[in-house]
Amino acid sequence: MIGWDSRWGTLKKVWADGNSTTGTYRPFGLDCSGFTDWVFYNISGGSYILGHGGGAHAQHTYCTPITWAEAQPGDLVFYPGDTHVGIVGGWDEGGNIQIIHCTSSYNNVVITGKAGFATIGRPQYYSS
């Protein structure tokens, strides 16, 4: 289960079953899967929780596998073993895919390239 603090600006303990961040403190209570859940919750007007409260692995199970060539903004990308998740944000001026994700090494939301991400999927949200 993932939690975040509605008061924004505070630290909240994050719990995500099967996730390496279980029991850690993050700004706003978001880890990588909490961030992607938060994004889909907000774009759906509060009607959709991407991973149904689970971590990156649970979110991956609610995606249809696609190829990197089929990538569109809003698709999810995963590290091997579903240890991390990000969202395709678009492409830079050189045509390189850009990934938006919440990373503990920077302890905030960042935009990076594809490095480390091994698989990609289209959330079932788009086919609902």
Side-chain angles (χ1 to χ4, degrees), residues 1-2 14-23 31-33 53-58 80-84:
M1 186 171 207
I2 299 166
V14 174
W15 61 97
D17 294 341
N19 191 303
S20 62
T21 60
T22 299
D31 60 359
C32 64
S33 59
H57 177 71
D82 295 338
T83 58
H84 189 60

Side-chain angles (χ1 to χ4, degrees), residues 14-55:
V14 174
W15 61 97
D17 294 341
N19 191 303
S20 62
T21 60
T22 299
T24 61
Y25 285 89
R26 298 274 186 248
F28 313 114
L30 296 178
D31 60 359
C32 64
S33 59
F35 171 69
T36 53
D37 266 342
W38 178 84
V39 168
F40 278 84
Y41 179 83
N42 281 279
I43 65 169
S44 70
S47 66
Y48 189 79
I49 302 292
L50 178 65
H52 301 276

Side-chain angles (χ1 to χ4, degrees), residues 1-127:
M1 186 171 207
I2 299 166
W4 55 81
D5 194 328
S6 62
R7 294 172 290 165
W8 297 99
T10 62
L11 290 175
K12 176 140 175 107
K13 193 168 191 174
V14 174
W15 61 97
D17 294 341
N19 191 303
S20 62
T21 60
T22 299
T24 61
Y25 285 89
R26 298 274 186 248
F28 313 114
L30 296 178
D31 60 359
C32 64
S33 59
F35 171 69
T36 53
D37 266 342
W38 178 84
V39 168
F40 278 84
Y41 179 83
N42 281 279
I43 65 169
S44 70
S47 66
Y48 189 79
I49 302 292
L50 178 65
H52 301 276
H57 177 71
Q59 292 176 353
H60 204 170
T61 66
Y62 288 95
C63 290
T64 301
I66 60 171
T67 67
W68 287 98
E70 296 172 298
Q72 294 180 11
D75 289 335
L76 297 185
V77 293
F78 300 89
Y79 272 20
D82 295 338
T83 58
H84 189 60
V85 60
I87 303 171
V88 174
W91 295 262
D92 67 13
E93 62 278 351
N96 301 302
I97 197 163
Q98 297 292 281
I99 310 298
I100 306 164
H101 54 114
C102 191
T103 175
S104 60
S105 62
Y106 295 102
N107 212 17
N108 58 21
V109 176
V110 296
I111 300 173
T112 65
K114 180 180 166 184
F117 293 99
T119 57
I120 184 168
R122 178 140 313 132
Q124 293 173 359
Y125 171 78
Y126 298 120
S127 61

